[in-house]
């Protein structure tokens, strides 16, 4: 889901131990020998990683954990694709490792009472306590309504503050045609028209795709990214498309929850897209095109660009043509002041993750376990955990500044646990340089700094930490399924063939009969509970 997924390396490292998961039904993790021959505690840590991640015991920073706990650590590394099949049986067995990293999320802990409530150990976890004080929203991501903390979150730091979804434009084409980055929908339309008719790629063919949009998911405006309804931000409706119910139309404005499919703004975006498609500025086949083709069109043949404007992660999505592209702020929709235009509010989703560390309830070596947990969240250990050990893979410039070394960049294997698998906290003032995907992310996202200021993260988005109960989640999910089975084909048809004006009221009425208002009321209830 995050930018880190853009860094997956090609090489698969086979033969990593899966000792813990494989033995769940036999001895069970963590319930074997809890003391070594020398009388020191023995602690098992399960960590779920990508296939190309180096074995944790070979990472130098893990020695600091051993020193801190004065214990023996046995690592079990499970590949993330294998873990999907192992998680449920392990939970069902009731036997979990002393410490699990990147394995369980708070909803798992809600279902099965096998994890320790870490909120009662905060005096032994000063690093975690400090993390929670500095990042209260990260704590809220995992806290139960009664204040329990069964799974710890992570933060990758301020460098990751931002949406993963951006609007990119071919700046080389703009420069060639003597055009500026469009600031309104009208200007965008004019630019697209020029892209279509003036052969900006200079090959003598009218092969340009002025604007490309992605096929819709059947379940709404996610889970796959780069949905064209990011354009709602042009009209001041803040999307949150990296995660959460915004993908099913839920939005918040001044603390009031609604579904944007029932708004005039939604209708306005549909009409605009229909107009652009009618003028040949968006391909008429866009909504039936495979994602692989969309992506191929971004990078083209690596020599001659064919895409003018597209929603993507960053310029790097355009491959060898990356230098031609820049992110552009959302252009203002009709009648909108530039001061009210927003951008996708998924800014903390990229920073924080909620599923990072759980401890077995009543662990016999709890003191040693807590010492390990506290060390993991020590910022100096955290940064190495995420990126690789100092000094080999990470150069420490000063207390707050690090850089990946050439050795880290050249390594075939991941030398740290990365964003997906690290249980740690990188404070906001710590920066890591030389990280290619971070550089391209910042280049794209910094363009939206002003538009991020035009809304309040709590009042104008559904925060990630708002979690409906299991029962309400089921109701919401059933309603969503019914609504989107109906809605997505209709929305696609409107964009391709028009008709939204005449049909919109009936569309909204139909969504009401399929549960839209109930779903909005449930989200409002949980929003109020978590934010007030
Ligand atoms: Mg051409």
């Amino acid at each position: 889901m995050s930018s880190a997924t853009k860094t997956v390396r090609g090489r698969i490292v086979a033969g990593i131990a899966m000792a813990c998961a494989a033995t769940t039904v036999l001895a069970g993790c963590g319930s074997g020998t809890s003391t070594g021959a020398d009388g020191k505690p023995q602690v098992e840590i399960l960590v779920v990683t990508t296939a190309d991640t180096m074995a944790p015991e070979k990472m130098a920073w893990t020695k600091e954990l051993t020193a801190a706990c004065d214990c023996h650590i046995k690592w079990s590394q499970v590949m993330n694709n294998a873990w999907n099949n192992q998680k449920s049986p392990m939970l069902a067995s009731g036997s979990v490792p002393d410490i699990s990293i990147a394995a369980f999320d708070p909803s798992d802990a809600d279902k099965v009472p096998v994890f320790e409530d870490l909120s009662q150990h905060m005096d032994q976890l000063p690093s975690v306590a400090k993390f929670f004080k500095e990042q209260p929203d990260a704590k809220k991501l995992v806290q139960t309504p009664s204040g329990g903390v069964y799974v710890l979150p992570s933060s990758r730091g301020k460098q990751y503050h931002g949406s993963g979804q951006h609007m990119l434009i071919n700046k080389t084409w703009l420069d060639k045609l003597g055009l500026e980055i469009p600031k309104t929908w009208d200007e965008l339309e004019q630019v697209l028209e020029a892209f279509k008719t003036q052969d900006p790629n200079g090959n003598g063919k009218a092969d340009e795709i002025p604007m490309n949009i992605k096929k819709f998911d059947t379940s709404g405006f996610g889970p796959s990214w780069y949905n064209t309804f990011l354009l709602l931000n042009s009209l001041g409706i803040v999307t949150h498309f990296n995660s959460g119910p915004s993908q099913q139309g839920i939005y918040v404005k001044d603390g009031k929850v609604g579904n944007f499919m029932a708004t005039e703004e939604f209708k306005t975006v549909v009409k605009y897209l229909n107009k652009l498609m009618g003028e040949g500025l968006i391909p008429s086949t866009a909504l039936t095109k495979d994602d692989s083709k969309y992506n191929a069109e971004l990078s083209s043949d690596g020599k001659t660009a064919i895409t003018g404007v597209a929603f993507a992660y960053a310029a790097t999505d355009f491959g060898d043509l990356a230098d031609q592209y820049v992110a552009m702020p959302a252009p203002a929709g009709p009648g909108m002041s530039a001061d009210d235009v927003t951008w996708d509010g998924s800014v903390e989703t990229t920073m924080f993750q909620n599923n990072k560390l759980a401890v077995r309830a009543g662990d016999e070596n709890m003191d040693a376990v807590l010492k390990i947990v506290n060390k993991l969240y020590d910022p100096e250990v955290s940064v190495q955990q995420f990126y690789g050990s100092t000094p080999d893979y990470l150069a420490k410039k000063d207390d707050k500044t690090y850089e990946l070394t050439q050795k880290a960049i050249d390594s075939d294997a991941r030398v740290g646990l990365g964003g997906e698998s690290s249980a740690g906290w990188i404070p906001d003032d710590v920066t890591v340089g030389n990280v290619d995907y971070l550089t391209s992310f910042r280049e794209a996202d910094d363009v939206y700094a002003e538009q991020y200021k035009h809304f309040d993260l709590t009042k104008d988005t559904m925060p990630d930490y708002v979690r409906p109960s299991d029962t309400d989640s089921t109701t919401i999910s059933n309603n969503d399924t019914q609504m989107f089975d109906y809605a997505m084909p209709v929305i696609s048809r409107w964009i391709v063939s028009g008709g939204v004006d005449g049909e919109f009221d009936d569309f909204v009425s139909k969504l009401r009969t399929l549960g839209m208002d109930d779903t909005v009321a449930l989200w409002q209830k949980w929003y109020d509970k978590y934010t007030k």
Side-chain angles (χ1 to χ4, degrees):
M1 56 166 270
S2 61
S3 55
T5 59
K6 301 285 171 186
T7 66
V8 172
R9 296 162 193 266
R11 208 175 78 127
I12 305 296
V13 179
I16 305 285
M18 288 191 278
C20 180
T23 57
T24 46
V25 285
L26 303 170
C29 290
S31 58
T33 312
S34 59
T35 316
D38 57 2
K40 290 184 180 181
Q42 180 151 311
V43 174
E44 176 159 25
I45 306 180
L46 176 146
V47 57
V48 180
T49 72
T50 57
D52 60 349
T53 302
M54 178 192 275
E57 57 268 37
K58 293 193 174 148
M59 297 182 186
W61 59 266
T62 61
K63 309 264 183 303
E64 296 200 40
L65 306 181
T66 309
C69 68
D70 193 25
C71 70
H72 301 288
I73 296 176
K74 179 171 175 280
W75 290 90
S76 303
Q77 185 178 16
V78 182
M79 301 302 103
N80 48 10
N81 52 0
W83 178 241
N84 290 335
N85 295 327
Q86 294 171 15
K87 181 167 114 166
S88 294
M90 183 183 281
L91 278 173
S93 78
S95 178
V96 293
D98 300 305
I99 296 173
S100 350
I101 294 178
F104 300 106
D105 63 38
S107 68
D108 297 321
D110 289 348
K111 289 184 193 111
V112 189
V114 290
F115 299 115
E116 185 77 359
D117 179 4
L118 295 170
S119 72
Q120 59 186 322
H121 297 296
M122 280 301 151
D123 52 341
Q124 287 169 274
L125 298 172
S127 298
V128 177
K130 204 167 168 208
F131 169 31
F132 282 176
K133 189 157 182 272
E134 285 200 15
Q135 302 288 10
D137 282 1
K139 182 183 183 186
K140 288 180 192 169
L141 276 181
V142 298
Q143 199 170 31
T144 66
S146 55
V149 173
Y150 296 87
V151 181
L152 295 179
S154 66
S155 176
R156 300 194 273 180
K158 190 87 178 174
Q159 284 182 294
Y160 291 85
H161 182 277
S163 170
Q165 309 193 46
H166 305 110
M167 188 171 186
L168 282 292
I169 189 165
N170 192 312
K171 182 74 167 57
T172 302
W173 290 6
L174 286 175
D175 292 345
K176 187 171 175 191
L177 301 176
L179 298 168
E180 302 285 321
I181 289 177
K183 293 193 173 64
T184 65
W185 281 11
D186 285 346
E187 288 178 16
L188 175 61
E189 195 176 340
Q190 288 157 22
V191 162
L192 297 178
E193 187 66 30
F195 284 175
K196 183 187 166 192
T197 56
Q198 298 182 34
D199 190 28
N201 69 7
N203 65 354
K205 296 181 207 163
D207 56 346
E208 288 81 1
I209 300 170
M211 178 165 166
N212 216 351
I213 63 174
K214 261 182 82 176
K215 186 168 94 168
F216 294 138
D217 292 297
T218 53
S219 62
F221 310 93
S224 68
W225 282 15
Y226 318 122
N227 190 284
T228 186
F229 280 95
L230 284 162
L231 284 173
L232 284 163
N233 290 286
S234 291
L235 298 162
I237 287 189
V238 185
T239 60
H240 190 298
F241 281 170
N242 286 19
S243 66
S246 179
Q247 297 179 343
Q248 277 73 46
I250 293 293
Y251 76 108
V252 184
K253 194 145 200 160
D254 279 334
K256 190 171 181 309
V257 178
N259 192 304
F260 60 62
M261 286 191 292
T263 64
E264 278 301 312
E265 288 88 341
F266 184 76
K267 188 172 148 186
T268 304
V269 174
V270 170
K271 284 173 76 167
Y272 184 58
L273 293 169
N274 172 240
K275 185 162 188 268
L276 296 182
M277 197 176 273
E279 292 164 351
L281 304 177
I282 293 173
S284 59
T285 54
L287 295 180
T288 51
K289 198 187 283 174
D290 278 349
D291 286 355
S292 58
K293 187 156 193 313
Y294 176 88
N295 293 329
E297 286 167 350
L298 299 186
S299 46
S300 185
D301 61 357
K303 296 188 185 73
T304 306
I306 54 169
T307 299
V309 173
F311 297 102
Y313 167 72
T316 44
D317 281 357
F318 296 82
D320 290 345
L321 299 167
D323 288 351
Q324 296 195 15
Y325 291 86
V326 295
M328 59 177 278
M336 285 293 291
S337 155
D339 292 340
D340 297 325
V341 175
T342 58
W343 190 245
D344 187 72
S346 315
V347 293
E348 289 191 342
T349 313
T350 314
M351 282 176 76
F352 304 143
Q353 296 194 341
N354 71 348
N355 63 335
K356 284 301 167 272
L357 187 143
V359 167
R360 188 157 67 94
D363 200 283
E364 58 267 41
N365 290 319
M366 191 58 82
D367 279 346
V369 164
L370 294 174
K371 282 174 182 160
I372 292 170
V373 174
N374 192 57
K375 200 69 183 170
L376 282 164
Y377 282 80
D378 177 304
E380 288 232 10
V381 171
S382 290
V383 72
Q384 298 178 69
Q385 193 188 158
F386 278 80
Y387 291 100
S389 300
T390 57
D392 275 2
Y393 300 114
L394 198 59
K396 187 173 180 179
K397 301 291 176 186
D398 62 49
D399 267 2
K400 307 288 183 192
T401 316
Y402 297 82
E403 252 180 35
L404 279 193
T405 64
Q406 196 57 42
K407 190 175 174 189
I409 293 165
D410 292 344
S411 170
D412 282 337
R414 282 194 192 212
V415 298
L417 294 178
E420 300 93 331
S421 305
S422 291
W425 163 49
I426 298 181
D428 279 355
D429 56 1
V430 171
T431 61
V432 181
N434 260 352
V435 185
D436 54 357
Y437 61 85
L438 201 41
T439 306
S440 52
F441 172 68
R442 286 268 51 101
E443 276 173 9
D445 199 72
D446 286 347
V447 165
Y448 301 89
E450 174 61 28
Q451 295 186 333
Y452 286 141
K453 289 180 196 159
H454 297 169
F455 62 94
D456 182 279
L457 208 49
T458 308
K459 286 182 185 156
D460 299 318
T461 71
M462 183 64 69
D464 282 319
Y465 53 77
V466 177
R467 279 197 290 143
S469 66
D470 269 357
T471 312
D472 286 352
S473 289
T474 303
T475 307
I476 288 169
S477 163
N478 290 341
N479 288 347
D480 284 343
T481 301
Q482 295 199 62
M483 282 201 295
F484 286 101
D485 282 350
Y486 162 69
M488 294 321 288
V490 175
I491 296 165
S492 295
R493 178 169 56 75
W494 284 340
I495 292 170
V496 176
S497 317
V500 64
D501 269 329
E503 298 176 31
F504 190 68
D505 291 347
D506 287 345
F507 171 77
V508 173
S509 302
K510 177 77 173 171
L511 291 180
R512 294 214 157 95
T513 67
L514 296 174
M516 178 176 68
D517 292 348
D518 292 343
T519 293
V520 166
L522 289 172
W523 277 111
Q524 183 77 60
K525 178 178 92 178
W526 289 101
Y527 173 85
D528 291 344
K529 209 182 271 284
Y530 276 89
T531 60
K532 303 257 152 89

